[in-house]
């Protein structure tokens, strides 16, 4: 399998999304980065926040060929830590010394893992990822959505999880 890293954001590390992602990461043996622990601060037009956690995180991400973005649906959108990280990708377009890193993102394959409380993934949630990947030239390779209404239990969404693992393996 291509080398893979997961970027995770949720208000709880060991909730529904964390459980689904842990299962996949354990099966396919890839690392999970919790964006809540990365000190990525909000986008700053003055770029006065360059010493925060964003640039080290981007360097780490660029060591991998596949990126899994994992988050629950919160009000048809992503949790703030995921949105903050995505906003900061703007730095890669604006700062001349980071543009090469932005170009390197174009070679990456991206996937989305989401949980919510309904059967169908919120269109606005998945569109945000697809449109952002398209704008940045990142290849969108598919998503997994698990309905966790009532809480994730072992076995929930099992068939979809297996299919998603095959996708990540490139099968
Ligand atoms: C603040 C908040 C907003 C939510 N908004 C939605 C929503 O818009 N649509 C939905 O289907 N579920 C929504 N849910 C339910 C969560 O998406 C669902 O319980 C998810 O599995 C939680 O994952 P977590 O344990 O990683 O936080 C929301 C839950 C919370 C706490």
């Amino acid at each position: 399998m291509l080398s893979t890293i997961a970027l995770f954001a949720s208000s709880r590390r060991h909730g529904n999304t964390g459980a689904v992602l842990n299962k996949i990461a354990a099966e396919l043996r890839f690392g999970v980065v919790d964006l809540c622990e990365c000190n990525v601060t909000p986008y700053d037009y003055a770029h006065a926040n360059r010493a925060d956690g964003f640039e080290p995180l981007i360097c780490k991400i660029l060591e991998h060929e596949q990126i899994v973005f994992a988050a629950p649906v919160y009000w048809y959108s992503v949790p703030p830590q995921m949105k903050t990280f995505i906003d900061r990708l703007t730095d890669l377009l604006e700062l001349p010394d980071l543009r090469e890193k932005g170009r390197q993102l174009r070679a990456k394959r991206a996937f989305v893992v989401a949980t919510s409380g309904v059967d169908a993934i919120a269109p606005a949630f998945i569109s945000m990822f697809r449109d952002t990947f398209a704008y940045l030239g990142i290849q969108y390779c598919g998503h997994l959505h698990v309905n966790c209404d009532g809480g994730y239990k072992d076995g929930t969404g099992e068939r979809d999880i297996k299919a998603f693992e095959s996708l990540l393996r490139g099968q």
Side-chain angles (χ1 to χ4, degrees):
M1 190 180 87
L2 296 173
S3 70
T4 302
I5 187 168
L7 307 177
F8 167 84
S10 166
S11 285
R12 49 183 187 178
R13 176 63 186 90
H14 300 289
N16 299 336
T17 316
V20 171
L21 182 63
N22 284 353
K23 201 177 171 72
I24 299 164
E27 174 70 24
L28 301 184
R29 297 166 191 265
F30 60 77
V32 174
V33 172
D34 185 349
L35 292 175
C36 303
E37 294 180 348
C38 291
N39 187 32
V40 176
T41 58
Y43 173 78
D44 176 8
Y45 278 95
H47 301 296
N49 55 356
R50 290 198 60 177
D52 73 359
F54 177 70
E55 291 179 32
L57 176 58
I58 277 295
C59 291
K60 184 171 179 171
I61 291 167
L62 289 175
E63 292 168 5
H64 301 272
E65 294 154 297
Q66 302 193 133
I67 311 165
V68 178
F69 293 77
V73 177
Y74 286 168
W75 292 109
Y76 314 98
S77 188
V78 289
Q81 299 86 356
M82 180 64 78
K83 182 62 168 65
T84 298
F85 172 77
I86 290 169
D87 285 354
R88 286 298 296 283
L89 294 174
T90 313
D91 289 17
L92 305 180
L93 308 177
E94 292 182 342
L95 292 166
D97 62 309
L98 292 187
R99 283 193 191 129
E100 176 49 32
K101 296 199 189 310
R103 278 191 283 274
Q104 286 175 39
L105 272 183
R106 293 186 200 148
K108 308 301 174 191
R109 289 158 52 85
F111 301 80
V112 175
V113 169
T115 69
S116 77
V118 292
D119 279 339
I121 192 164
F125 177 100
I126 199 66
S127 297
M128 184 280 290
F129 281 109
R130 295 175 78 131
D131 293 349
T132 301
F133 297 152
Y135 190 91
L136 294 170
I138 299 170
Q139 189 187 348
Y140 172 63
C141 296
H143 75 266
L144 166 70
H145 171 252
V146 180
N147 178 353
C148 289
D149 185 30
Y152 174 81
K153 295 170 200 69
D154 208 24
T156 305
E158 197 59 28
R159 211 168 53 174
D160 291 339
I161 290 172
K162 289 286 164 224
F164 184 73
E165 287 171 354
S166 296
L167 206 60
L168 276 173
R169 288 191 182 101
Q171 294 165 344

PDB file of all heavy atoms in Angstrom, residues 68-96:
ATOM      1  N   VAL A  68      -5.574  10.841   4.599  1.00  0.00           N
ATOM      2  CA  VAL A  68      -6.955  10.573   5.006  1.00  0.00           C
ATOM      3  C   VAL A  68      -7.404  11.708   5.921  1.00  0.00           C
ATOM      4  O   VAL A  68      -6.764  11.962   6.948  1.00  0.00           O
ATOM      5  CB  VAL A  68      -7.063   9.229   5.762  1.00  0.00           C
ATOM      6  CG1 VAL A  68      -8.500   8.994   6.232  1.00  0.00           C
ATOM      7  CG2 VAL A  68      -6.578   8.073   4.896  1.00  0.00           C
ATOM      8  N   PHE A  69      -8.437  12.400   5.527  1.00  0.00           N
ATOM      9  CA  PHE A  69      -9.009  13.480   6.346  1.00  0.00           C
ATOM     10  C   PHE A  69     -10.198  12.867   7.097  1.00  0.00           C
ATOM     11  O   PHE A  69     -11.167  12.445   6.457  1.00  0.00           O
ATOM     12  CB  PHE A  69      -9.489  14.640   5.471  1.00  0.00           C
ATOM     13  CG  PHE A  69      -8.386  15.375   4.764  1.00  0.00           C
ATOM     14  CD1 PHE A  69      -7.766  14.844   3.641  1.00  0.00           C
ATOM     15  CD2 PHE A  69      -7.956  16.612   5.224  1.00  0.00           C
ATOM     16  CE1 PHE A  69      -6.745  15.525   2.983  1.00  0.00           C
ATOM     17  CE2 PHE A  69      -6.935  17.308   4.581  1.00  0.00           C
ATOM     18  CZ  PHE A  69      -6.325  16.764   3.469  1.00  0.00           C
ATOM     19  N   ALA A  70     -10.128  12.828   8.424  1.00  0.00           N
ATOM     20  CA  ALA A  70     -11.174  12.155   9.202  1.00  0.00           C
ATOM     21  C   ALA A  70     -11.828  13.123  10.178  1.00  0.00           C
ATOM     22  O   ALA A  70     -11.145  13.766  10.980  1.00  0.00           O
ATOM     23  CB  ALA A  70     -10.571  10.976   9.966  1.00  0.00           C
ATOM     24  N   ALA A  71     -13.153  13.198  10.122  1.00  0.00           N
ATOM     25  CA  ALA A  71     -13.873  14.142  10.988  1.00  0.00           C
ATOM     26  C   ALA A  71     -15.351  13.761  11.062  1.00  0.00           C
ATOM     27  O   ALA A  71     -15.901  13.207  10.109  1.00  0.00           O
ATOM     28  CB  ALA A  71     -13.750  15.567  10.441  1.00  0.00           C
ATOM     29  N   PRO A  72     -15.994  14.106  12.175  1.00  0.00           N
ATOM     30  CA  PRO A  72     -17.452  13.965  12.230  1.00  0.00           C
ATOM     31  C   PRO A  72     -18.118  15.138  11.520  1.00  0.00           C
ATOM     32  O   PRO A  72     -17.499  16.198  11.334  1.00  0.00           O
ATOM     33  CB  PRO A  72     -17.744  14.037  13.741  1.00  0.00           C
ATOM     34  CG  PRO A  72     -16.639  14.879  14.296  1.00  0.00           C
ATOM     35  CD  PRO A  72     -15.421  14.607  13.433  1.00  0.00           C
ATOM     36  N   VAL A  73     -19.366  14.925  11.138  1.00  0.00           N
ATOM     37  CA  VAL A  73     -20.165  16.036  10.607  1.00  0.00           C
ATOM     38  C   VAL A  73     -20.708  16.816  11.802  1.00  0.00           C
ATOM     39  O   VAL A  73     -21.419  16.255  12.638  1.00  0.00           O
ATOM     40  CB  VAL A  73     -21.339  15.513   9.737  1.00  0.00           C
ATOM     41  CG1 VAL A  73     -22.204  16.682   9.261  1.00  0.00           C
ATOM     42  CG2 VAL A  73     -20.807  14.710   8.546  1.00  0.00           C
ATOM     43  N   TYR A  74     -20.314  18.063  11.905  1.00  0.00           N
ATOM     44  CA  TYR A  74     -20.869  18.965  12.923  1.00  0.00           C
ATOM     45  C   TYR A  74     -21.587  20.091  12.191  1.00  0.00           C
ATOM     46  O   TYR A  74     -20.942  20.912  11.520  1.00  0.00           O
ATOM     47  CB  TYR A  74     -19.758  19.556  13.794  1.00  0.00           C
ATOM     48  CG  TYR A  74     -19.112  18.623  14.819  1.00  0.00           C
ATOM     49  CD1 TYR A  74     -17.946  18.990  15.468  1.00  0.00           C
ATOM     50  CD2 TYR A  74     -19.674  17.385  15.158  1.00  0.00           C
ATOM     51  CE1 TYR A  74     -17.348  18.171  16.426  1.00  0.00           C
ATOM     52  CE2 TYR A  74     -19.082  16.553  16.109  1.00  0.00           C
ATOM     53  CZ  TYR A  74     -17.920  16.950  16.738  1.00  0.00           C
ATOM     54  OH  TYR A  74     -17.331  16.135  17.679  1.00  0.00           O
ATOM     55  N   TRP A  75     -22.899  20.107  12.284  1.00  0.00           N
ATOM     56  CA  TRP A  75     -23.702  21.135  11.620  1.00  0.00           C
ATOM     57  C   TRP A  75     -23.350  21.239  10.134  1.00  0.00           C
ATOM     58  O   TRP A  75     -23.017  22.292   9.629  1.00  0.00           O
ATOM     59  CB  TRP A  75     -23.585  22.492  12.340  1.00  0.00           C
ATOM     60  CG  TRP A  75     -24.248  22.430  13.684  1.00  0.00           C
ATOM     61  CD1 TRP A  75     -23.660  22.437  14.913  1.00  0.00           C
ATOM     62  CD2 TRP A  75     -25.653  22.261  13.927  1.00  0.00           C
ATOM     63  NE1 TRP A  75     -24.597  22.285  15.890  1.00  0.00           N
ATOM     64  CE2 TRP A  75     -25.829  22.186  15.321  1.00  0.00           C
ATOM     65  CE3 TRP A  75     -26.783  22.167  13.102  1.00  0.00           C
ATOM     66  CZ2 TRP A  75     -27.078  22.012  15.909  1.00  0.00           C
ATOM     67  CZ3 TRP A  75     -28.027  22.006  13.702  1.00  0.00           C
ATOM     68  CH2 TRP A  75     -28.158  21.939  15.083  1.00  0.00           C
ATOM     69  N   TYR A  76     -23.401  20.097   9.464  1.00  0.00           N
ATOM     70  CA  TYR A  76     -23.204  20.005   8.003  1.00  0.00           C
ATOM     71  C   TYR A  76     -21.796  20.384   7.569  1.00  0.00           C
ATOM     72  O   TYR A  76     -21.526  20.518   6.377  1.00  0.00           O
ATOM     73  CB  TYR A  76     -24.234  20.882   7.238  1.00  0.00           C
ATOM     74  CG  TYR A  76     -25.624  20.681   7.778  1.00  0.00           C
ATOM     75  CD1 TYR A  76     -26.175  21.565   8.706  1.00  0.00           C
ATOM     76  CD2 TYR A  76     -26.351  19.551   7.417  1.00  0.00           C
ATOM     77  CE1 TYR A  76     -27.425  21.332   9.262  1.00  0.00           C
ATOM     78  CE2 TYR A  76     -27.599  19.304   7.962  1.00  0.00           C
ATOM     79  CZ  TYR A  76     -28.133  20.198   8.883  1.00  0.00           C
ATOM     80  OH  TYR A  76     -29.360  19.949   9.423  1.00  0.00           O
ATOM     81  N   SER A  77     -20.895  20.506   8.516  1.00  0.00           N
ATOM     82  CA  SER A  77     -19.553  20.961   8.197  1.00  0.00           C
ATOM     83  C   SER A  77     -18.535  20.168   9.016  1.00  0.00           C
ATOM     84  O   SER A  77     -18.870  19.163   9.619  1.00  0.00           O
ATOM     85  CB  SER A  77     -19.475  22.476   8.503  1.00  0.00           C
ATOM     86  OG  SER A  77     -18.254  22.992   8.045  1.00  0.00           O
ATOM     87  N   VAL A  78     -17.297  20.651   9.006  1.00  0.00           N
ATOM     88  CA  VAL A  78     -16.230  19.970   9.747  1.00  0.00           C
ATOM     89  C   VAL A  78     -15.997  20.657  11.096  1.00  0.00           C
ATOM     90  O   VAL A  78     -16.335  21.828  11.259  1.00  0.00           O
ATOM     91  CB  VAL A  78     -14.902  19.970   8.945  1.00  0.00           C
ATOM     92  CG1 VAL A  78     -14.985  19.035   7.754  1.00  0.00           C
ATOM     93  CG2 VAL A  78     -14.512  21.374   8.518  1.00  0.00           C
ATOM     94  N   PRO A  79     -15.394  19.950  12.062  1.00  0.00           N
ATOM     95  CA  PRO A  79     -15.038  20.585  13.325  1.00  0.00           C
ATOM     96  C   PRO A  79     -14.012  21.702  13.078  1.00  0.00           C
ATOM     97  O   PRO A  79     -13.267  21.674  12.094  1.00  0.00           O
ATOM     98  CB  PRO A  79     -14.406  19.448  14.144  1.00  0.00           C
ATOM     99  CG  PRO A  79     -14.893  18.195  13.503  1.00  0.00           C
ATOM    100  CD  PRO A  79     -15.056  18.520  12.051  1.00  0.00           C
ATOM    101  N   PRO A  80     -13.952  22.682  13.988  1.00  0.00           N
ATOM    102  CA  PRO A  80     -13.099  23.852  13.759  1.00  0.00           C
ATOM    103  C   PRO A  80     -11.630  23.527  13.533  1.00  0.00           C
ATOM    104  O   PRO A  80     -10.966  24.219  12.756  1.00  0.00           O
ATOM    105  CB  PRO A  80     -13.290  24.693  15.026  1.00  0.00           C
ATOM    106  CG  PRO A  80     -14.089  23.888  15.959  1.00  0.00           C
ATOM    107  CD  PRO A  80     -14.753  22.795  15.215  1.00  0.00           C
ATOM    108  N   GLN A  81     -11.112  22.501  14.173  1.00  0.00           N
ATOM    109  CA  GLN A  81      -9.680  22.198  13.999  1.00  0.00           C
ATOM    110  C   GLN A  81      -9.383  21.766  12.561  1.00  0.00           C
ATOM    111  O   GLN A  81      -8.316  22.065  12.018  1.00  0.00           O
ATOM    112  CB  GLN A  81      -9.244  21.090  14.971  1.00  0.00           C
ATOM    113  CG  GLN A  81      -9.403  21.441  16.434  1.00  0.00           C
ATOM    114  CD  GLN A  81     -10.802  21.151  16.974  1.00  0.00           C
ATOM    115  OE1 GLN A  81     -11.695  20.760  16.239  1.00  0.00           O
ATOM    116  NE2 GLN A  81     -10.982  21.355  18.265  1.00  0.00           N
ATOM    117  N   MET A  82     -10.330  21.063  11.938  1.00  0.00           N
ATOM    118  CA  MET A  82     -10.137  20.650  10.535  1.00  0.00           C
ATOM    119  C   MET A  82     -10.253  21.866   9.626  1.00  0.00           C
ATOM    120  O   MET A  82      -9.471  22.034   8.682  1.00  0.00           O
ATOM    121  CB  MET A  82     -11.173  19.578  10.157  1.00  0.00           C
ATOM    122  CG  MET A  82     -11.074  19.074   8.736  1.00  0.00           C
ATOM    123  SD  MET A  82      -9.509  18.217   8.389  1.00  0.00           S
ATOM    124  CE  MET A  82      -9.796  16.602   9.131  1.00  0.00           C
ATOM    125  N   LYS A  83     -11.218  22.733   9.919  1.00  0.00           N
ATOM    126  CA  LYS A  83     -11.394  23.933   9.090  1.00  0.00           C
ATOM    127  C   LYS A  83     -10.172  24.839   9.206  1.00  0.00           C
ATOM    128  O   LYS A  83      -9.705  25.391   8.195  1.00  0.00           O
ATOM    129  CB  LYS A  83     -12.664  24.675   9.525  1.00  0.00           C
ATOM    130  CG  LYS A  83     -12.967  25.914   8.691  1.00  0.00           C
ATOM    131  CD  LYS A  83     -13.205  25.553   7.227  1.00  0.00           C
ATOM    132  CE  LYS A  83     -13.793  26.695   6.411  1.00  0.00           C
ATOM    133  NZ  LYS A  83     -12.910  27.837   6.284  1.00  0.00           N
ATOM    134  N   THR A  84      -9.641  24.959  10.416  1.00  0.00           N
ATOM    135  CA  THR A  84      -8.448  25.791  10.614  1.00  0.00           C
ATOM    136  C   THR A  84      -7.280  25.247   9.807  1.00  0.00           C
ATOM    137  O   THR A  84      -6.553  25.996   9.146  1.00  0.00           O
ATOM    138  CB  THR A  84      -8.090  25.847  12.121  1.00  0.00           C
ATOM    139  OG1 THR A  84      -9.177  26.457  12.809  1.00  0.00           O
ATOM    140  CG2 THR A  84      -6.822  26.645  12.369  1.00  0.00           C
ATOM    141  N   PHE A  85      -7.102  23.929   9.839  1.00  0.00           N
ATOM    142  CA  PHE A  85      -6.018  23.322   9.065  1.00  0.00           C
ATOM    143  C   PHE A  85      -6.216  23.600   7.571  1.00  0.00           C
ATOM    144  O   PHE A  85      -5.275  24.002   6.869  1.00  0.00           O
ATOM    145  CB  PHE A  85      -5.941  21.804   9.310  1.00  0.00           C
ATOM    146  CG  PHE A  85      -4.981  21.137   8.383  1.00  0.00           C
ATOM    147  CD1 PHE A  85      -3.612  21.229   8.594  1.00  0.00           C
ATOM    148  CD2 PHE A  85      -5.433  20.448   7.259  1.00  0.00           C
ATOM    149  CE1 PHE A  85      -2.708  20.649   7.704  1.00  0.00           C
ATOM    150  CE2 PHE A  85      -4.545  19.868   6.370  1.00  0.00           C
ATOM    151  CZ  PHE A  85      -3.176  19.964   6.595  1.00  0.00           C
ATOM    152  N   ILE A  86      -7.426  23.424   7.082  1.00  0.00           N
ATOM    153  CA  ILE A  86      -7.688  23.650   5.654  1.00  0.00           C
ATOM    154  C   ILE A  86      -7.482  25.123   5.294  1.00  0.00           C
ATOM    155  O   ILE A  86      -6.881  25.436   4.258  1.00  0.00           O
ATOM    156  CB  ILE A  86      -9.093  23.125   5.284  1.00  0.00           C
ATOM    157  CG1 ILE A  86      -9.073  21.594   5.353  1.00  0.00           C
ATOM    158  CG2 ILE A  86      -9.526  23.608   3.903  1.00  0.00           C
ATOM    159  CD1 ILE A  86     -10.413  20.929   5.271  1.00  0.00           C
ATOM    160  N   ASP A  87      -7.925  26.013   6.155  1.00  0.00           N
ATOM    161  CA  ASP A  87      -7.674  27.450   5.905  1.00  0.00           C
ATOM    162  C   ASP A  87      -6.177  27.717   5.766  1.00  0.00           C
ATOM    163  O   ASP A  87      -5.754  28.504   4.916  1.00  0.00           O
ATOM    164  CB  ASP A  87      -8.211  28.305   7.060  1.00  0.00           C
ATOM    165  CG  ASP A  87      -9.720  28.441   7.054  1.00  0.00           C
ATOM    166  OD1 ASP A  87     -10.369  27.971   6.105  1.00  0.00           O
ATOM    167  OD2 ASP A  87     -10.258  29.024   8.017  1.00  0.00           O
ATOM    168  N   ARG A  88      -5.377  27.058   6.594  1.00  0.00           N
ATOM    169  CA  ARG A  88      -3.936  27.330   6.590  1.00  0.00           C
ATOM    170  C   ARG A  88      -3.241  26.824   5.324  1.00  0.00           C
ATOM    171  O   ARG A  88      -2.111  27.240   5.026  1.00  0.00           O
ATOM    172  CB  ARG A  88      -3.293  26.746   7.847  1.00  0.00           C
ATOM    173  CG  ARG A  88      -3.595  27.545   9.095  1.00  0.00           C
ATOM    174  CD  ARG A  88      -3.061  28.968   9.054  1.00  0.00           C
ATOM    175  NE  ARG A  88      -1.605  29.009   8.990  1.00  0.00           N
ATOM    176  CZ  ARG A  88      -0.798  28.799  10.036  1.00  0.00           C
ATOM    177  NH1 ARG A  88      -1.319  28.575  11.231  1.00  0.00           N
ATOM    178  NH2 ARG A  88       0.510  28.851   9.895  1.00  0.00           N
ATOM    179  N   LEU A  89      -3.911  25.949   4.567  1.00  0.00           N
ATOM    180  CA  LEU A  89      -3.320  25.532   3.284  1.00  0.00           C
ATOM    181  C   LEU A  89      -3.127  26.748   2.375  1.00  0.00           C
ATOM    182  O   LEU A  89      -2.310  26.717   1.451  1.00  0.00           O
ATOM    183  CB  LEU A  89      -4.205  24.467   2.615  1.00  0.00           C
ATOM    184  CG  LEU A  89      -4.298  23.126   3.369  1.00  0.00           C
ATOM    185  CD1 LEU A  89      -5.310  22.215   2.683  1.00  0.00           C
ATOM    186  CD2 LEU A  89      -2.938  22.432   3.456  1.00  0.00           C
ATOM    187  N   THR A  90      -3.858  27.805   2.640  1.00  0.00           N
ATOM    188  CA  THR A  90      -3.704  29.065   1.909  1.00  0.00           C
ATOM    189  C   THR A  90      -2.264  29.566   1.986  1.00  0.00           C
ATOM    190  O   THR A  90      -1.759  30.180   1.034  1.00  0.00           O
ATOM    191  CB  THR A  90      -4.667  30.123   2.516  1.00  0.00           C
ATOM    192  OG1 THR A  90      -5.937  29.524   2.670  1.00  0.00           O
ATOM    193  CG2 THR A  90      -4.778  31.357   1.648  1.00  0.00           C
ATOM    194  N   ASP A  91      -1.607  29.310   3.121  1.00  0.00           N
ATOM    195  CA  ASP A  91      -0.198  29.732   3.267  1.00  0.00           C
ATOM    196  C   ASP A  91       0.664  29.155   2.143  1.00  0.00           C
ATOM    197  O   ASP A  91       1.622  29.786   1.697  1.00  0.00           O
ATOM    198  CB  ASP A  91       0.379  29.239   4.609  1.00  0.00           C
ATOM    199  CG  ASP A  91      -0.190  29.983   5.813  1.00  0.00           C
ATOM    200  OD1 ASP A  91      -1.241  30.633   5.668  1.00  0.00           O
ATOM    201  OD2 ASP A  91       0.414  29.895   6.897  1.00  0.00           O
ATOM    202  N   LEU A  92       0.316  27.941   1.706  1.00  0.00           N
ATOM    203  CA  LEU A  92       1.123  27.265   0.680  1.00  0.00           C
ATOM    204  C   LEU A  92       0.967  27.930  -0.685  1.00  0.00           C
ATOM    205  O   LEU A  92       1.768  27.713  -1.586  1.00  0.00           O
ATOM    206  CB  LEU A  92       0.739  25.783   0.578  1.00  0.00           C
ATOM    207  CG  LEU A  92       0.804  24.977   1.883  1.00  0.00           C
ATOM    208  CD1 LEU A  92       0.398  23.534   1.627  1.00  0.00           C
ATOM    209  CD2 LEU A  92       2.197  25.037   2.489  1.00  0.00           C
ATOM    210  N   LEU A  93      -0.080  28.701  -0.839  1.00  0.00           N
ATOM    211  CA  LEU A  93      -0.301  29.416  -2.093  1.00  0.00           C
ATOM    212  C   LEU A  93       0.277  30.831  -2.030  1.00  0.00           C
ATOM    213  O   LEU A  93       0.672  31.402  -3.045  1.00  0.00           O
ATOM    214  CB  LEU A  93      -1.804  29.509  -2.399  1.00  0.00           C
ATOM    215  CG  LEU A  93      -2.592  28.193  -2.370  1.00  0.00           C
ATOM    216  CD1 LEU A  93      -4.069  28.457  -2.623  1.00  0.00           C
ATOM    217  CD2 LEU A  93      -2.055  27.222  -3.402  1.00  0.00           C
ATOM    218  N   GLU A  94       0.317  31.386  -0.826  1.00  0.00           N
ATOM    219  CA  GLU A  94       0.670  32.811  -0.691  1.00  0.00           C
ATOM    220  C   GLU A  94       2.128  33.066  -0.354  1.00  0.00           C
ATOM    221  O   GLU A  94       2.669  34.103  -0.743  1.00  0.00           O
ATOM    222  CB  GLU A  94      -0.197  33.445   0.405  1.00  0.00           C
ATOM    223  CG  GLU A  94      -1.652  33.530   0.017  1.00  0.00           C
ATOM    224  CD  GLU A  94      -2.507  34.208   1.068  1.00  0.00           C
ATOM    225  OE1 GLU A  94      -2.081  34.322   2.230  1.00  0.00           O
ATOM    226  OE2 GLU A  94      -3.625  34.614   0.701  1.00  0.00           O
ATOM    227  N   LEU A  95       2.748  32.182   0.392  1.00  0.00           N
ATOM    228  CA  LEU A  95       4.118  32.436   0.847  1.00  0.00           C
ATOM    229  C   LEU A  95       5.103  31.831  -0.151  1.00  0.00           C
ATOM    230  O   LEU A  95       5.111  30.607  -0.364  1.00  0.00           O
ATOM    231  CB  LEU A  95       4.325  31.824   2.244  1.00  0.00           C
ATOM    232  CG  LEU A  95       3.523  32.528   3.344  1.00  0.00           C
ATOM    233  CD1 LEU A  95       3.481  31.705   4.619  1.00  0.00           C
ATOM    234  CD2 LEU A  95       4.133  33.908   3.620  1.00  0.00           C
ATOM    235  N   PRO A  96       5.929  32.671  -0.805  1.00  0.00           N
ATOM    236  CA  PRO A  96       6.805  32.176  -1.870  1.00  0.00           C
ATOM    237  C   PRO A  96       7.647  30.979  -1.453  1.00  0.00           C
ATOM    238  O   PRO A  96       7.811  30.042  -2.234  1.00  0.00           O
ATOM    239  CB  PRO A  96       7.676  33.389  -2.191  1.00  0.00           C
ATOM    240  CG  PRO A  96       6.844  34.563  -1.802  1.00  0.00           C
ATOM    241  CD  PRO A  96       6.025  34.129  -0.620  1.00  0.00           C
TER     242      PRO A  96
END
